[in-house]
Amino acid sequence: MRAKLSTTFQSLTIRNYRLFVTGQLIKLIGVWMMFTTQDWLVLDLSNNSASALGVVVALQFTPVLLLTLLSGRLADRYDKRLLLVIANATWSVLALGMSALVLTGVVQLWHVFVFAALLGVANAVETPVRQSFVSELVGTSLLPNALALSSATFNSARIVGPAVAGVAIALFDVGPVFLVSAVSSIAPVICVVMMRVAELHREELPPLAERASARVIDGLRYVARRSDLVLPMVLMSVMGLALFNFQLTLSALAKTTFHTGAASFGLFTTALAVGSLVGALAGSGRRSRPSVWVVLGSAVATGVCGTLVGLAPAYWLVVALLPLTGFFTVFFAQASNQRVQLGVDAAFRGRVMALWVLVFLGTNPVGAPIVGWIAERYGAGASIWIGGLISLATAGAALIWQLHRTNTRLRLRILPLPRFYVVHPVDT
């Protein structure tokens, strides 16, 4: 057990990475508190309109759609550490402004729309830079472990944040919760400033003049030539569009389908995040690039679980299914992220990870309004199971394509434990 734990948390032995994780954990707990509280506020201000909630989610992620590729170019040209300080400081100022409006009681729905878009701009710059910065903190050998722990940090915050927010809203109303989340967002700025620059693992890059001429289109061409990068990105774009809108769908499911309060909505999000945390830790021992079959298998499982959640007729059954859904959702996203990031050259990492963030988060502006409309017209459950079926069909088609392309087939082994495995015709 001791050996397993030391392997699981090996990246935390590096001081710069510990600072990075600490700052992210504090901020992300506050961010999830803010997202949970914001969703509740929007439903109150809009008379429980799922469409309004979809608009807010779309505004949060539209800047990701528009600006992320440019942010990846910045990450390949300039100091990632400095960019992180600027982006996180901007987020803090905006969050404090939003909390002031809520605390004074003058907040209106359009205020939420505006701040959601502005926070999205800060997020569009910060996310691809942060994704590509992890390799500078730990080096290539520990990168899979560091990515897994970063995912675990994200999902730990997703467990704590909504649960605390649900109780805090009931006790103190939404204003104080916004203020706490705004103050917590200062943590990454402090932690990044405290890092030791000399201990960063910065791979040898092309000369500055060559990096200065780095173009977005070159990154897109680089990915287009790599089918091993295109497949996980296509899967993520479709599944992100159709299914990964749990921030919207779970709040609508809790309030409009099961008619529960803020604490029960927090339980939905927490149940999903518990499974997500386990899914993140499940891949923490990985030391090499995950295979395409790991990506495809977890994608199929994610589609199945999403479909079952949407079709579940009872509140307790949704709570029971969400941990399994969270597990496969994060296991798939993490394996895809590792497969992409461990397969790129250092000179293109910023732009490739920006494209990854674009397909991971940038599909939300398109998907959220559609999902919100489906939830309002046909019910929140339908918006989830339809997304699950679309995801399952996409993953199944990708699996068939990969089997045909590699001239392989699937076999089912029953004993000692049921599992699928891939064989070549010569193996049979």
Side-chain angles (χ1 to χ4, degrees), residues 230-261:
V230 171
L231 181 62
M233 286 191 178
V234 169
L235 281 173
M236 182 54 71
S237 64
V238 175
M239 295 175 72
L241 179 73
L243 184 60
F244 285 24
N245 287 285
F246 292 115
Q247 178 189 344
L248 188 163
T249 54
L250 291 183
S251 58
L253 191 68
K255 194 160 190 176
T256 63
T257 300
F258 296 111
H259 308 289
T260 59

PDB file of all heavy atoms in Angstrom, residues 230-261:
ATOM      1  N   VAL A 230      -6.021  13.133 -33.846  1.00  0.00           N
ATOM      2  CA  VAL A 230      -7.342  13.515 -34.350  1.00  0.00           C
ATOM      3  C   VAL A 230      -8.447  12.689 -33.692  1.00  0.00           C
ATOM      4  O   VAL A 230      -9.496  13.234 -33.308  1.00  0.00           O
ATOM      5  CB  VAL A 230      -7.402  13.361 -35.883  1.00  0.00           C
ATOM      6  CG1 VAL A 230      -8.833  13.545 -36.390  1.00  0.00           C
ATOM      7  CG2 VAL A 230      -6.476  14.365 -36.556  1.00  0.00           C
ATOM      8  N   LEU A 231      -8.238  11.376 -33.527  1.00  0.00           N
ATOM      9  CA  LEU A 231      -9.295  10.507 -32.997  1.00  0.00           C
ATOM     10  C   LEU A 231      -9.771  10.932 -31.611  1.00  0.00           C
ATOM     11  O   LEU A 231     -10.976  11.127 -31.404  1.00  0.00           O
ATOM     12  CB  LEU A 231      -8.818   9.048 -32.991  1.00  0.00           C
ATOM     13  CG  LEU A 231      -9.844   8.029 -32.471  1.00  0.00           C
ATOM     14  CD1 LEU A 231     -11.080   8.024 -33.358  1.00  0.00           C
ATOM     15  CD2 LEU A 231      -9.237   6.634 -32.403  1.00  0.00           C
ATOM     16  N   PRO A 232      -8.893  11.093 -30.603  1.00  0.00           N
ATOM     17  CA  PRO A 232      -9.393  11.531 -29.297  1.00  0.00           C
ATOM     18  C   PRO A 232     -10.017  12.914 -29.326  1.00  0.00           C
ATOM     19  O   PRO A 232     -10.962  13.197 -28.583  1.00  0.00           O
ATOM     20  CB  PRO A 232      -8.151  11.491 -28.393  1.00  0.00           C
ATOM     21  CG  PRO A 232      -6.979  11.478 -29.299  1.00  0.00           C
ATOM     22  CD  PRO A 232      -7.441  10.799 -30.545  1.00  0.00           C
ATOM     23  N   MET A 233      -9.519  13.790 -30.209  1.00  0.00           N
ATOM     24  CA  MET A 233     -10.097  15.129 -30.279  1.00  0.00           C
ATOM     25  C   MET A 233     -11.498  15.107 -30.883  1.00  0.00           C
ATOM     26  O   MET A 233     -12.389  15.843 -30.436  1.00  0.00           O
ATOM     27  CB  MET A 233      -9.176  16.051 -31.089  1.00  0.00           C
ATOM     28  CG  MET A 233      -7.920  16.451 -30.328  1.00  0.00           C
ATOM     29  SD  MET A 233      -7.025  17.776 -31.152  1.00  0.00           S
ATOM     30  CE  MET A 233      -5.673  18.043 -29.996  1.00  0.00           C
ATOM     31  N   VAL A 234     -11.707  14.282 -31.893  1.00  0.00           N
ATOM     32  CA  VAL A 234     -13.044  14.162 -32.485  1.00  0.00           C
ATOM     33  C   VAL A 234     -14.021  13.580 -31.461  1.00  0.00           C
ATOM     34  O   VAL A 234     -15.152  14.068 -31.305  1.00  0.00           O
ATOM     35  CB  VAL A 234     -13.002  13.288 -33.751  1.00  0.00           C
ATOM     36  CG1 VAL A 234     -14.412  12.936 -34.215  1.00  0.00           C
ATOM     37  CG2 VAL A 234     -12.249  14.007 -34.867  1.00  0.00           C
ATOM     38  N   LEU A 235     -13.594  12.525 -30.765  1.00  0.00           N
ATOM     39  CA  LEU A 235     -14.442  11.943 -29.722  1.00  0.00           C
ATOM     40  C   LEU A 235     -14.810  12.983 -28.673  1.00  0.00           C
ATOM     41  O   LEU A 235     -15.971  13.112 -28.279  1.00  0.00           O
ATOM     42  CB  LEU A 235     -13.733  10.770 -29.056  1.00  0.00           C
ATOM     43  CG  LEU A 235     -13.732   9.434 -29.804  1.00  0.00           C
ATOM     44  CD1 LEU A 235     -12.834   8.442 -29.082  1.00  0.00           C
ATOM     45  CD2 LEU A 235     -15.149   8.879 -29.920  1.00  0.00           C
ATOM     46  N   MET A 236     -13.813  13.730 -28.217  1.00  0.00           N
ATOM     47  CA  MET A 236     -14.068  14.713 -27.170  1.00  0.00           C
ATOM     48  C   MET A 236     -14.973  15.835 -27.652  1.00  0.00           C
ATOM     49  O   MET A 236     -15.826  16.327 -26.906  1.00  0.00           O
ATOM     50  CB  MET A 236     -12.743  15.277 -26.661  1.00  0.00           C
ATOM     51  CG  MET A 236     -12.907  16.285 -25.524  1.00  0.00           C
ATOM     52  SD  MET A 236     -13.866  15.642 -24.125  1.00  0.00           S
ATOM     53  CE  MET A 236     -12.681  14.477 -23.456  1.00  0.00           C
ATOM     54  N   SER A 237     -14.816  16.255 -28.896  1.00  0.00           N
ATOM     55  CA  SER A 237     -15.657  17.342 -29.405  1.00  0.00           C
ATOM     56  C   SER A 237     -17.123  16.939 -29.442  1.00  0.00           C
ATOM     57  O   SER A 237     -18.003  17.706 -29.034  1.00  0.00           O
ATOM     58  CB  SER A 237     -15.177  17.772 -30.798  1.00  0.00           C
ATOM     59  OG  SER A 237     -15.320  16.722 -31.731  1.00  0.00           O
ATOM     60  N   VAL A 238     -17.412  15.718 -29.927  1.00  0.00           N
ATOM     61  CA  VAL A 238     -18.806  15.268 -30.010  1.00  0.00           C
ATOM     62  C   VAL A 238     -19.381  15.013 -28.621  1.00  0.00           C
ATOM     63  O   VAL A 238     -20.497  15.456 -28.303  1.00  0.00           O
ATOM     64  CB  VAL A 238     -18.906  13.994 -30.872  1.00  0.00           C
ATOM     65  CG1 VAL A 238     -20.335  13.456 -30.857  1.00  0.00           C
ATOM     66  CG2 VAL A 238     -18.468  14.280 -32.301  1.00  0.00           C
ATOM     67  N   MET A 239     -18.625  14.334 -27.765  1.00  0.00           N
ATOM     68  CA  MET A 239     -19.135  14.019 -26.439  1.00  0.00           C
ATOM     69  C   MET A 239     -19.226  15.266 -25.563  1.00  0.00           C
ATOM     70  O   MET A 239     -20.138  15.401 -24.740  1.00  0.00           O
ATOM     71  CB  MET A 239     -18.246  12.954 -25.790  1.00  0.00           C
ATOM     72  CG  MET A 239     -18.299  11.626 -26.544  1.00  0.00           C
ATOM     73  SD  MET A 239     -17.169  10.363 -25.940  1.00  0.00           S
ATOM     74  CE  MET A 239     -17.957   9.931 -24.388  1.00  0.00           C
ATOM     75  N   GLY A 240     -18.294  16.200 -25.754  1.00  0.00           N
ATOM     76  CA  GLY A 240     -18.385  17.461 -25.039  1.00  0.00           C
ATOM     77  C   GLY A 240     -19.616  18.252 -25.451  1.00  0.00           C
ATOM     78  O   GLY A 240     -20.273  18.893 -24.622  1.00  0.00           O
ATOM     79  N   LEU A 241     -19.941  18.204 -26.720  1.00  0.00           N
ATOM     80  CA  LEU A 241     -21.118  18.897 -27.237  1.00  0.00           C
ATOM     81  C   LEU A 241     -22.416  18.272 -26.725  1.00  0.00           C
ATOM     82  O   LEU A 241     -23.337  18.975 -26.304  1.00  0.00           O
ATOM     83  CB  LEU A 241     -21.092  18.869 -28.763  1.00  0.00           C
ATOM     84  CG  LEU A 241     -22.264  19.519 -29.505  1.00  0.00           C
ATOM     85  CD1 LEU A 241     -22.158  21.028 -29.408  1.00  0.00           C
ATOM     86  CD2 LEU A 241     -22.271  19.086 -30.972  1.00  0.00           C
ATOM     87  N   ALA A 242     -22.465  16.944 -26.731  1.00  0.00           N
ATOM     88  CA  ALA A 242     -23.737  16.260 -26.468  1.00  0.00           C
ATOM     89  C   ALA A 242     -23.968  15.907 -25.005  1.00  0.00           C
ATOM     90  O   ALA A 242     -25.108  15.944 -24.536  1.00  0.00           O
ATOM     91  CB  ALA A 242     -23.801  14.975 -27.307  1.00  0.00           C
ATOM     92  N   LEU A 243     -22.908  15.558 -24.271  1.00  0.00           N
ATOM     93  CA  LEU A 243     -23.096  14.962 -22.950  1.00  0.00           C
ATOM     94  C   LEU A 243     -22.460  15.730 -21.806  1.00  0.00           C
ATOM     95  O   LEU A 243     -22.997  15.744 -20.707  1.00  0.00           O
ATOM     96  CB  LEU A 243     -22.541  13.533 -22.963  1.00  0.00           C
ATOM     97  CG  LEU A 243     -22.741  12.691 -21.687  1.00  0.00           C
ATOM     98  CD1 LEU A 243     -24.232  12.538 -21.364  1.00  0.00           C
ATOM     99  CD2 LEU A 243     -22.091  11.323 -21.844  1.00  0.00           C
ATOM    100  N   PHE A 244     -21.325  16.386 -22.057  1.00  0.00           N
ATOM    101  CA  PHE A 244     -20.552  16.977 -20.959  1.00  0.00           C
ATOM    102  C   PHE A 244     -21.093  18.346 -20.543  1.00  0.00           C
ATOM    103  O   PHE A 244     -20.339  19.304 -20.370  1.00  0.00           O
ATOM    104  CB  PHE A 244     -19.083  17.115 -21.365  1.00  0.00           C
ATOM    105  CG  PHE A 244     -18.332  15.810 -21.374  1.00  0.00           C
ATOM    106  CD1 PHE A 244     -18.988  14.607 -21.537  1.00  0.00           C
ATOM    107  CD2 PHE A 244     -16.967  15.785 -21.235  1.00  0.00           C
ATOM    108  CE1 PHE A 244     -18.302  13.406 -21.558  1.00  0.00           C
ATOM    109  CE2 PHE A 244     -16.260  14.589 -21.258  1.00  0.00           C
ATOM    110  CZ  PHE A 244     -16.927  13.398 -21.421  1.00  0.00           C
ATOM    111  N   ASN A 245     -22.392  18.430 -20.358  1.00  0.00           N
ATOM    112  CA  ASN A 245     -23.019  19.670 -19.892  1.00  0.00           C
ATOM    113  C   ASN A 245     -23.678  19.448 -18.529  1.00  0.00           C
ATOM    114  O   ASN A 245     -24.779  19.946 -18.261  1.00  0.00           O
ATOM    115  CB  ASN A 245     -24.072  20.160 -20.901  1.00  0.00           C
ATOM    116  CG  ASN A 245     -23.447  20.729 -22.151  1.00  0.00           C
ATOM    117  OD1 ASN A 245     -22.923  21.834 -22.150  1.00  0.00           O
ATOM    118  ND2 ASN A 245     -23.497  19.975 -23.235  1.00  0.00           N
ATOM    119  N   PHE A 246     -23.008  18.687 -17.674  1.00  0.00           N
ATOM    120  CA  PHE A 246     -23.601  18.316 -16.388  1.00  0.00           C
ATOM    121  C   PHE A 246     -23.870  19.521 -15.491  1.00  0.00           C
ATOM    122  O   PHE A 246     -24.761  19.488 -14.652  1.00  0.00           O
ATOM    123  CB  PHE A 246     -22.699  17.314 -15.666  1.00  0.00           C
ATOM    124  CG  PHE A 246     -22.631  15.978 -16.343  1.00  0.00           C
ATOM    125  CD1 PHE A 246     -21.438  15.523 -16.890  1.00  0.00           C
ATOM    126  CD2 PHE A 246     -23.757  15.179 -16.458  1.00  0.00           C
ATOM    127  CE1 PHE A 246     -21.368  14.290 -17.524  1.00  0.00           C
ATOM    128  CE2 PHE A 246     -23.697  13.945 -17.091  1.00  0.00           C
ATOM    129  CZ  PHE A 246     -22.497  13.500 -17.623  1.00  0.00           C
ATOM    130  N   GLN A 247     -23.075  20.590 -15.641  1.00  0.00           N
ATOM    131  CA  GLN A 247     -23.323  21.806 -14.878  1.00  0.00           C
ATOM    132  C   GLN A 247     -24.742  22.319 -15.128  1.00  0.00           C
ATOM    133  O   GLN A 247     -25.421  22.798 -14.218  1.00  0.00           O
ATOM    134  CB  GLN A 247     -22.303  22.884 -15.260  1.00  0.00           C
ATOM    135  CG  GLN A 247     -22.510  24.223 -14.545  1.00  0.00           C
ATOM    136  CD  GLN A 247     -21.615  25.312 -15.107  1.00  0.00           C
ATOM    137  OE1 GLN A 247     -20.646  25.032 -15.818  1.00  0.00           O
ATOM    138  NE2 GLN A 247     -21.923  26.556 -14.804  1.00  0.00           N
ATOM    139  N   LEU A 248     -25.177  22.192 -16.364  1.00  0.00           N
ATOM    140  CA  LEU A 248     -26.515  22.643 -16.746  1.00  0.00           C
ATOM    141  C   LEU A 248     -27.569  21.574 -16.454  1.00  0.00           C
ATOM    142  O   LEU A 248     -28.581  21.839 -15.804  1.00  0.00           O
ATOM    143  CB  LEU A 248     -26.506  23.005 -18.229  1.00  0.00           C
ATOM    144  CG  LEU A 248     -27.715  23.676 -18.886  1.00  0.00           C
ATOM    145  CD1 LEU A 248     -27.287  24.278 -20.215  1.00  0.00           C
ATOM    146  CD2 LEU A 248     -28.874  22.718 -19.115  1.00  0.00           C
ATOM    147  N   THR A 249     -27.319  20.356 -16.922  1.00  0.00           N
ATOM    148  CA  THR A 249     -28.363  19.327 -16.885  1.00  0.00           C
ATOM    149  C   THR A 249     -28.674  18.849 -15.468  1.00  0.00           C
ATOM    150  O   THR A 249     -29.834  18.584 -15.155  1.00  0.00           O
ATOM    151  CB  THR A 249     -27.957  18.122 -17.752  1.00  0.00           C
ATOM    152  OG1 THR A 249     -26.659  17.649 -17.345  1.00  0.00           O
ATOM    153  CG2 THR A 249     -27.906  18.503 -19.215  1.00  0.00           C
ATOM    154  N   LEU A 250     -27.670  18.746 -14.609  1.00  0.00           N
ATOM    155  CA  LEU A 250     -27.932  18.259 -13.255  1.00  0.00           C
ATOM    156  C   LEU A 250     -28.698  19.275 -12.423  1.00  0.00           C
ATOM    157  O   LEU A 250     -29.554  18.906 -11.608  1.00  0.00           O
ATOM    158  CB  LEU A 250     -26.623  17.881 -12.557  1.00  0.00           C
ATOM    159  CG  LEU A 250     -25.903  16.653 -13.113  1.00  0.00           C
ATOM    160  CD1 LEU A 250     -24.662  16.341 -12.283  1.00  0.00           C
ATOM    161  CD2 LEU A 250     -26.828  15.434 -13.152  1.00  0.00           C
ATOM    162  N   SER A 251     -28.401  20.565 -12.610  1.00  0.00           N
ATOM    163  CA  SER A 251     -29.167  21.582 -11.878  1.00  0.00           C
ATOM    164  C   SER A 251     -30.618  21.588 -12.334  1.00  0.00           C
ATOM    165  O   SER A 251     -31.547  21.684 -11.516  1.00  0.00           O
ATOM    166  CB  SER A 251     -28.539  22.967 -12.065  1.00  0.00           C
ATOM    167  OG  SER A 251     -28.483  23.305 -13.441  1.00  0.00           O
ATOM    168  N   ALA A 252     -30.829  21.474 -13.655  1.00  0.00           N
ATOM    169  CA  ALA A 252     -32.197  21.412 -14.172  1.00  0.00           C
ATOM    170  C   ALA A 252     -32.901  20.142 -13.715  1.00  0.00           C
ATOM    171  O   ALA A 252     -34.089  20.161 -13.366  1.00  0.00           O
ATOM    172  CB  ALA A 252     -32.183  21.494 -15.696  1.00  0.00           C
ATOM    173  N   LEU A 253     -32.185  19.020 -13.704  1.00  0.00           N
ATOM    174  CA  LEU A 253     -32.769  17.753 -13.261  1.00  0.00           C
ATOM    175  C   LEU A 253     -33.197  17.831 -11.805  1.00  0.00           C
ATOM    176  O   LEU A 253     -34.284  17.365 -11.431  1.00  0.00           O
ATOM    177  CB  LEU A 253     -31.749  16.626 -13.451  1.00  0.00           C
ATOM    178  CG  LEU A 253     -32.257  15.189 -13.300  1.00  0.00           C
ATOM    179  CD1 LEU A 253     -33.208  14.831 -14.429  1.00  0.00           C
ATOM    180  CD2 LEU A 253     -31.074  14.208 -13.287  1.00  0.00           C
ATOM    181  N   ALA A 254     -32.347  18.433 -10.965  1.00  0.00           N
ATOM    182  CA  ALA A 254     -32.658  18.528  -9.537  1.00  0.00           C
ATOM    183  C   ALA A 254     -33.858  19.439  -9.284  1.00  0.00           C
ATOM    184  O   ALA A 254     -34.750  19.099  -8.508  1.00  0.00           O
ATOM    185  CB  ALA A 254     -31.443  19.037  -8.764  1.00  0.00           C
ATOM    186  N   LYS A 255     -33.871  20.592  -9.941  1.00  0.00           N
ATOM    187  CA  LYS A 255     -34.887  21.595  -9.606  1.00  0.00           C
ATOM    188  C   LYS A 255     -36.200  21.405 -10.347  1.00  0.00           C
ATOM    189  O   LYS A 255     -37.270  21.618  -9.774  1.00  0.00           O
ATOM    190  CB  LYS A 255     -34.328  22.999  -9.887  1.00  0.00           C
ATOM    191  CG  LYS A 255     -35.171  24.102  -9.265  1.00  0.00           C
ATOM    192  CD  LYS A 255     -34.397  25.394  -9.111  1.00  0.00           C
ATOM    193  CE  LYS A 255     -35.189  26.401  -8.271  1.00  0.00           C
ATOM    194  NZ  LYS A 255     -34.435  27.635  -8.015  1.00  0.00           N
ATOM    195  N   THR A 256     -36.153  20.990 -11.612  1.00  0.00           N
ATOM    196  CA  THR A 256     -37.385  20.932 -12.406  1.00  0.00           C
ATOM    197  C   THR A 256     -37.979  19.529 -12.520  1.00  0.00           C
ATOM    198  O   THR A 256     -39.188  19.398 -12.719  1.00  0.00           O
ATOM    199  CB  THR A 256     -37.133  21.485 -13.821  1.00  0.00           C
ATOM    200  OG1 THR A 256     -36.180  20.656 -14.500  1.00  0.00           O
ATOM    201  CG2 THR A 256     -36.591  22.896 -13.756  1.00  0.00           C
ATOM    202  N   THR A 257     -37.151  18.493 -12.415  1.00  0.00           N
ATOM    203  CA  THR A 257     -37.674  17.124 -12.534  1.00  0.00           C
ATOM    204  C   THR A 257     -37.998  16.529 -11.172  1.00  0.00           C
ATOM    205  O   THR A 257     -39.089  15.987 -10.960  1.00  0.00           O
ATOM    206  CB  THR A 257     -36.662  16.217 -13.261  1.00  0.00           C
ATOM    207  OG1 THR A 257     -36.421  16.752 -14.568  1.00  0.00           O
ATOM    208  CG2 THR A 257     -37.208  14.798 -13.381  1.00  0.00           C
ATOM    209  N   PHE A 258     -37.038  16.646 -10.216  1.00  0.00           N
ATOM    210  CA  PHE A 258     -37.254  16.057  -8.897  1.00  0.00           C
ATOM    211  C   PHE A 258     -37.657  17.082  -7.843  1.00  0.00           C
ATOM    212  O   PHE A 258     -37.914  16.718  -6.696  1.00  0.00           O
ATOM    213  CB  PHE A 258     -35.987  15.316  -8.450  1.00  0.00           C
ATOM    214  CG  PHE A 258     -35.650  14.137  -9.338  1.00  0.00           C
ATOM    215  CD1 PHE A 258     -34.540  14.166 -10.164  1.00  0.00           C
ATOM    216  CD2 PHE A 258     -36.457  13.013  -9.362  1.00  0.00           C
ATOM    217  CE1 PHE A 258     -34.221  13.084 -10.988  1.00  0.00           C
ATOM    218  CE2 PHE A 258     -36.161  11.933 -10.173  1.00  0.00           C
ATOM    219  CZ  PHE A 258     -35.046  11.972 -10.986  1.00  0.00           C
ATOM    220  N   HIS A 259     -37.688  18.393  -8.234  1.00  0.00           N
ATOM    221  CA  HIS A 259     -38.183  19.469  -7.361  1.00  0.00           C
ATOM    222  C   HIS A 259     -37.483  19.462  -6.002  1.00  0.00           C
ATOM    223  O   HIS A 259     -38.121  19.508  -4.955  1.00  0.00           O
ATOM    224  CB  HIS A 259     -39.697  19.355  -7.187  1.00  0.00           C
ATOM    225  CG  HIS A 259     -40.442  19.268  -8.476  1.00  0.00           C
ATOM    226  ND1 HIS A 259     -40.571  20.344  -9.338  1.00  0.00           N
ATOM    227  CD2 HIS A 259     -41.073  18.218  -9.082  1.00  0.00           C
ATOM    228  CE1 HIS A 259     -41.261  19.975 -10.406  1.00  0.00           C
ATOM    229  NE2 HIS A 259     -41.572  18.697 -10.289  1.00  0.00           N
ATOM    230  N   THR A 260     -36.145  19.427  -6.030  1.00  0.00           N
ATOM    231  CA  THR A 260     -35.354  19.420  -4.805  1.00  0.00           C
ATOM    232  C   THR A 260     -34.714  20.784  -4.582  1.00  0.00           C
ATOM    233  O   THR A 260     -34.762  21.659  -5.445  1.00  0.00           O
ATOM    234  CB  THR A 260     -34.257  18.347  -4.882  1.00  0.00           C
ATOM    235  OG1 THR A 260     -33.423  18.619  -6.012  1.00  0.00           O
ATOM    236  CG2 THR A 260     -34.851  16.967  -5.019  1.00  0.00           C
ATOM    237  N   GLY A 261     -34.078  20.957  -3.423  1.00  0.00           N
ATOM    238  CA  GLY A 261     -33.446  22.213  -3.071  1.00  0.00           C
ATOM    239  C   GLY A 261     -31.980  22.249  -3.452  1.00  0.00           C
ATOM    240  O   GLY A 261     -31.449  21.348  -4.093  1.00  0.00           O
TER     241      GLY A 261
END
